[in-house]
Amino acid sequence: MTAGPWYQRYFGSDYLRIYRLADTAEQIAFLRDLLRHSGPPGRLLDLPCGHGRHAVEIAGWGWQVTGLDLSPPFLQVAAQAAGAAGRPVRLVRGDMRCFPLASATFEVSICMFTSLGYFDEVAENARVLREFWRVTRPGGRFVLDLANIDFVRQQAPRAEWSKDGVTVRSEYLWSEATRRAVTRRWATFDDGRAEQYESSVRLFEGAEIEGLLAASGFVVESQQGAYRGGPVSPQLPRRILLCRRR
């Protein structure tokens, strides 16, 4: 394996072949409904934007979308998708802890699919929230979509699947001491190539993330446990926090 943080290798060109993204349609429906009630289309930040699965759709709804990500392969796929759809999306490469973006720019900022908690220290993850506060306009909305820690505690430790000619074996490890979910994936490709990937994401108790958001300058206006709605509970997989910048 190459040296460096896990996410630099994990979010590479193989990711889209080995990872199952079954909730995309539900996420898009959730965002469409949310943005319908967020005033007229303005400027929106999608971070990390990944391969553009949210940003390109939102651009089609009249929003001026900026997508920021660290992964060059993801940004290339996002640019191709935006071009094919004929939808202008501004794509920027950058680190989540220091956005190369102007302050108080966006009416809405979104952080989807458990994209907080990549870093080792809570202070580094809190820095990401402060950056979201900085670039969101006063009174603007911030959507933070996280895995529900109580649901994750019940997750099966192993899984296997096949996708696009790739066989994947996955092992999941949860540490109560560190509150980190570690996932290891062994992928065998149709040409015989074999790779191992590992992710390590810090998850947050409800009161903990609410405290971090408040300290960053956000007011949590509501929460839900799934993209389709419902209260946060151990039976639902998400903790989606709908916030407003003070």
Side-chain angles (χ1 to χ4, degrees):
M1 289 189 182
T2 58
W6 65 266
Y7 47 82
Q8 289 187 353
R9 181 172 185 271
Y10 190 80
F11 296 119
S13 55
D14 283 342
Y15 177 89
L16 297 180
R17 296 189 64 188
I18 70 174
Y19 204 94
R20 299 178 295 179
L21 295 170
D23 293 337
T24 298
E26 286 189 9
Q27 292 170 30
I28 294 298
F30 158 74
L31 290 168
R32 182 187 288 273
D33 184 64
L34 174 80
L35 293 176
R36 280 175 179 163
H37 298 90
S38 296
R43 284 173 287 196
L44 181 142
L45 172 65
D46 179 8
L47 190 160
C49 68
H51 54 284
R53 64 191 178 117
H54 304 121
V56 174
E57 286 288 332
I58 295 170
W61 306 338
W63 289 79
Q64 301 172 50
V65 179
T66 295
L68 190 148
D69 206 280
L70 186 64
S71 168
F74 277 12
L75 290 170
Q76 182 178 12
V77 172
Q80 291 170 347
R87 297 173 180 174
V89 177
R90 178 191 178 202
L91 296 169
V92 180
R93 184 169 187 256
D95 191 298
M96 297 176 73
R97 292 163 291 188
C98 185
F99 304 175
L101 301 170
S103 298
T105 297
F106 300 98
E107 280 77 24
V108 177
S109 299
I110 63 173
C111 184
M112 299 294 294
F113 202 56
T114 316
S115 295
L116 182 74
Y118 291 171
F119 307 110
D120 292 337
E121 302 297 329
V122 172
E124 285 186 284
N125 296 306
R127 185 176 173 186
V128 175
L129 295 178
R130 289 196 298 273
E131 280 290 272
F132 271 111
W133 177 89
R134 181 182 64 80
V135 301
T136 304
R137 285 187 167 185
R141 304 196 75 179
F142 173 47
V143 180
L144 180 60
D145 167 27
L146 300 176
N148 179 0
I149 191 171
D150 291 323
F151 186 88
V152 168
R153 286 182 169 113
Q154 309 169 58
Q155 186 169 319
R158 293 177 181 82
E160 293 186 18
W161 64 87
S162 295
K163 178 190 174 188
D164 299 336
V166 185
T167 301
V168 181
R169 180 168 57 90
S170 178
E171 181 181 76
Y172 165 79
L173 304 126
W174 167 252
S175 170
E176 199 66 46
T178 65
R179 298 294 198 275
R180 298 195 78 87
V182 175
T183 303
R184 293 171 183 157
R185 290 190 169 91
W186 292 266
T188 304
F189 294 81
D190 46 13
D191 61 0
R193 179 168 62 95
E195 300 285 353
Q196 180 181 344
Y197 291 94
E198 180 173 305
S199 65
S200 175
V201 180
R202 172 66 153 81
L203 301 184
F204 300 91
E205 306 284 357
E208 183 181 17
I209 191 60
E210 290 168 16
L212 290 172
L213 285 162
S216 300
F218 287 107
V219 175
V220 179
E221 295 187 324
S222 64
Q223 300 185 49
Q224 59 190 67
Y227 299 114
R228 64 183 182 278
V232 178
S233 74
Q235 288 72 47
L236 291 178
R238 313 304 301 170
R239 178 179 290 273
I240 304 169
L241 300 107
L242 307 179
C243 312
R244 196 171 294 277
R245 178 188 160 170
R246 286 200 296 263

